[in-house]
């Protein structure tokens, strides 16, 4: 029931927002204020969504982007690609595909894919134009995630994440984000609270043999705007620990984002992703690179 009501609210807003937007993008928002593409497809930082709406369309227009992100740690890699559209600077719709692979025995043949559909609705505030108010821009969002199965472990009889201890191979994340841009201090501050059952963002399914309840997880981001085209920052994302197989830990990173113009952005980060499975008991850390093209 909660999922139905939440989705109905966002979908009804999506249905009315196009009437507010011009047929052609106006590219009217300030450079970098659409954020970059988060690992699950939403607009924001690299590992956490922000309240900002993707694209450079103003409240009288629309905008969108496509992205590809690659993360490489000692034992694993993750590729994410997708598209996001922002309508009237009010609603964001996103689609993403994640492709997770192992690179070290005994999981060197491992491959897991996941599809993610996202909706975000700005409900209050304006991070850019309301500089004289303390209220941040606030958005609510929902991510539906569908795991596409496990490849490379057929010899062990494992083809689905439920055989690894997960309760489900699909699930929902719900979140509320608050973003404030302080132009005088050249700072962007973001806080997100996410309700989730996802294991490693859903790559290892939802719920598990340790816990199957939806829990609230905090996420924070801080970015310093060196100039109009360059930002430095850091992020932290706490995550649940639902599986015996997976000693899941928080994600955190330090990033640099370059916005040469409104059609292109490049983000590089050094990320700590914690333990992924008990089969490779190393803290996974490595480089993250994301390319985004849009309007």
């Amino acid at each position: 029931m909660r999922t139905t009501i939440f989705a109905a609210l966002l979908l009804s807003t999506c249905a009315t927002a196009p009437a507010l937007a011009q047929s052609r993008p106006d590219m009217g928002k300030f450079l970098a204020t659409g954020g970059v593409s988060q690992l699950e497809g939403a607009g924001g930082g690299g590992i956490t969504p922000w309240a900002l709406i993707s694209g450079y369309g103003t409240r009288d227009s629309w905008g969108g982007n496509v992205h590809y992100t690659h993360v490489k740690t000692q034992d694993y890699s993750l590729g994410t690609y997708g598209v996001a559209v922002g309508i009237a600077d009010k609603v964001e719709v996103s689609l993403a595909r994640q492709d997770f692979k192992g690179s070290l025995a005994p999981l060197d043949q491992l491959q897991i894919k996941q599809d993610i559909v996202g909706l975000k609705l700005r409900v209050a505030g304006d991070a850019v134009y309301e500089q004289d108010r303390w209220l941040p821009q606030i958005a609510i969002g929902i991510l539906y995630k569908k795991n596409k199965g496990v490849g490379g472990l057929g010899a062990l009889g494992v083809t689905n994440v439920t055989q690894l201890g997960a309760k489900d191979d699909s699930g929902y994340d719900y979140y509320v984000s608050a973003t404030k841009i302080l132009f005088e201090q050249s700072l962007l501050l973001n806080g997100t609270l996410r309700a989730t059952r996802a294991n490693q963002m859903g790559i290892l399914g939802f719920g598990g043999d340790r816990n199957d309840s939806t829990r609230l997880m905090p996420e924070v981001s801080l970015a310093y705007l060196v100039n109009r085209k360059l930002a430095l920052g850091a992020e932290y994302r706490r995550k649940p620990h639902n599986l015996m197989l997976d000693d899941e830990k928080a994600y955190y990173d330090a990033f640099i984002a370059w916005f040469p113009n409104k059609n292109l952005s490049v983000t590089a980060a050094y990320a700590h992703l914690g333990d992924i499975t008990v089969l490779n008991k190393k803290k996974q850390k490595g480089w993250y690179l994301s390319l985004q093209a849009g309007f």
Side-chain angles (χ1 to χ4, degrees), residues 125-208:
D126 192 305
V128 176
Y129 294 105
E130 295 182 352
Q131 293 293 301
D132 58 342
R133 300 183 64 191
W134 64 267
L135 181 70
Q137 183 165 317
I138 300 172
I140 56 175
I142 182 172
L143 298 167
Y144 172 70
K145 304 177 179 181
K146 175 61 178 177
N147 194 286
K148 308 299 287 184
V150 178
L153 298 182
L156 301 177
V158 176
T159 58
N160 191 283
V161 289
T162 57
Q163 295 169 290
L164 299 175
K167 295 297 184 182
D168 298 292
D169 62 4
S170 64
Y172 293 88
D173 283 2
Y174 310 90
Y175 65 88
V176 56
S177 293
T179 305
K180 187 67 175 176
I181 297 176
L182 305 172
F183 279 123
E184 289 189 3
Q185 291 77 27
S186 299
L187 288 177
L188 179 148
L189 306 174
N190 181 81
T192 294
L193 192 62
R194 183 190 303 249
T196 183
R197 296 169 58 237
N199 310 316
Q200 302 293 354
M201 297 185 292
I203 292 170
L204 296 181
F206 302 84

Side-chain angles (χ1 to χ4, degrees), residues 278-289:
V278 297
L279 299 177
N280 287 333
K281 293 185 177 181
K282 284 188 289 187
K283 297 291 189 295
Q284 298 298 314
K285 51 191 176 181
W287 291 100
Y288 166 118
L289 181 66

Side-chain angles (χ1 to χ4, degrees), residues 7 13 40-41 49 79 88 94 98 111 121-122 130 134 142 167 188 200 212 219 232 251 253 263 266 294:
T13 307
E40 293 148 303
S94 61
Q98 294 180 328
Q111 183 170 12
L121 169 65
R122 179 165 64 91
E130 295 182 352
W134 64 267
I142 182 172
K167 295 297 184 182
L188 179 148
Q200 302 293 354
D212 192 35
E219 306 173 16
L232 304 175
Y251 292 164
D253 70 22
N263 299 115
V266 181

Side-chain angles (χ1 to χ4, degrees), residues 265-277:
S265 70
V266 181
T267 304
Y270 190 71
H272 287 247
L273 305 180
D275 298 349
I276 303 296
T277 76

Side-chain angles (χ1 to χ4, degrees), residues 3 27 40 81 96 109 155-156 178 255 272:
T3 298
M27 301 279 284
E40 293 148 303
Y81 57 92
Q109 299 301 311
L156 301 177
F255 67 86
H272 287 247

